[in-house]
């Protein structure tokens, strides 16, 4: 599976992106900037082609000899019902940790203010600026970013899994699972979007 074209391309892109000298060769105006622009142009056809590939894999039905329907049901329930609650719990844990960090920083600032006022009673002490929540916390204090992170937990599996699966039989089995996830995701996402909006706006 590691030798699939999708995985090889992802590994190559990650290697170039994490290596500053190589990345500098592909930016706009660089010697290989034309190659990056060409790849972006070709990449715009990726999602329509993946949709066609998913449809071709499901042309012979929504079941596969490699996987039974109970397994498909368990995978669908875990991905669309269990995993969103896991993401919600992780998000709440990160928010609590962030608030605890901010409270500790605010307490330290108050102690520093009291200490400075004691040493210099005649000097007016200016209040220190609030600590940067984005730098000290695990999640930024932005409801939109928090909502997007939560939304990623309730969407179905990406269609690229059908391309990364090795062999036509495995691709058909993965596509069968994706089919049922996309069928039921319309109902589960509507529920979890309402829950997540209430979570980030409350």
């Amino acid at each position: 599976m590691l030798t699939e074209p999708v995985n090889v391309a992802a590994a190559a892109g990650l290697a170039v992106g994490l290596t500053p000298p190589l990345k500098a060769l592909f930016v706009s105006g660089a010697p290989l900037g034309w190659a990056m622009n060409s790849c972006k142009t070709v990449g715009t056809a990726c999602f329509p082609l993946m949709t066609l590939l998913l449809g071709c894999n499901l042309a012979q039905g929504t079941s596969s000899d490699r996987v039974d329907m109970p397994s498909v049901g368990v995978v669908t329930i875990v991905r669309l019902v269990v995993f969103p609650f896991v993401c919600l719990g992780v998000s709440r844990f990160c928010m609590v940790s962030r608030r605890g960090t901010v409270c500790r920083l605010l307490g330290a600032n108050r102690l520093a203010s009291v200490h400075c006022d004691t040493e210099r009673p005649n000097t007016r002490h200016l209040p220190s600026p609030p600590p940067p929540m984005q730098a000290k916390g695990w999640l930024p204090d932005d409801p939109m970013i928090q909502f997007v992170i939560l939304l990623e937990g309730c969407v179905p599996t990406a269609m690229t899994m059908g391309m990364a699966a090795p062999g036509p039989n495995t691709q058909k089995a993965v596509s069968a699972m994706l089919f049922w996830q996309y069928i039921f995701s319309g109902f589960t996402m509507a529920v979890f979007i309402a829950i997540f909006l209430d979570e980030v706006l409350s």
Side-chain angles (χ1 to χ4, degrees):
M1 185 172 182
L2 295 178
T3 58
E4 292 294 320
V6 176
N7 298 328
V8 173
L14 186 63
V16 172
L18 295 178
T19 307
L22 292 178
K23 184 179 179 180
L25 296 176
F26 292 92
V27 298
S28 179
L32 297 179
W34 60 269
M36 179 60 67
N37 295 330
S38 301
C39 291
K40 288 181 179 180
T41 303
V42 175
T44 55
C46 176
F47 290 102
L49 290 177
M50 285 194 299
T51 305
L52 292 175
L53 178 62
L54 181 62
C56 293
N57 291 333
L58 294 175
Q60 298 180 358
T62 58
S63 60
S64 174
D65 298 335
R66 299 287 298 273
V67 62
D68 54 357
M69 292 307 296
S71 300
V72 174
V74 170
V75 172
T76 303
I77 292 174
V78 170
R79 184 64 185 88
L80 298 181
V81 179
V82 177
F83 196 70
F85 283 111
V86 173
C87 291
L88 182 60
V90 173
S91 175
R92 288 185 176 181
F93 174 77
C94 294
M95 292 302 296
V96 170
S97 299
R98 179 184 64 79
R99 290 167 184 165
T101 302
V102 173
C103 290
R104 288 193 297 271
L105 290 172
L106 290 175
N109 288 337
R110 293 193 186 97
L111 290 176
S113 301
V114 173
H115 181 69
C116 292
D117 291 339
T118 304
E119 289 184 349
R120 296 180 298 174
N122 296 327
T123 303
R124 184 178 180 182
H125 179 68
L126 296 177
S128 59
M133 295 183 182
Q134 289 83 355
K136 297 297 183 181
W138 290 4
L139 288 179
D141 192 23
D142 189 339
M144 179 58 68
I145 296 179
Q146 297 170 15
F147 175 72
V148 172
I149 293 174
L150 291 172
L151 186 63
E152 289 292 330
C154 69
V155 297
T157 306
M159 291 185 293
T160 51
M161 289 297 298
M163 300 175 59
N169 294 330
T170 306
Q171 288 180 1
K172 190 173 185 302
V174 173
S175 299
M177 293 185 178
L178 294 180
F179 174 82
W180 292 109
Q181 288 186 25
Y182 278 88
I183 288 293
F184 291 105
S185 63
F187 304 98
T188 58
M189 286 184 63
V191 175
F192 282 109
I193 285 175
I195 295 175
F196 293 158
L197 285 175
D198 182 72
E199 175 73 16
V200 299
L201 296 178
S202 60

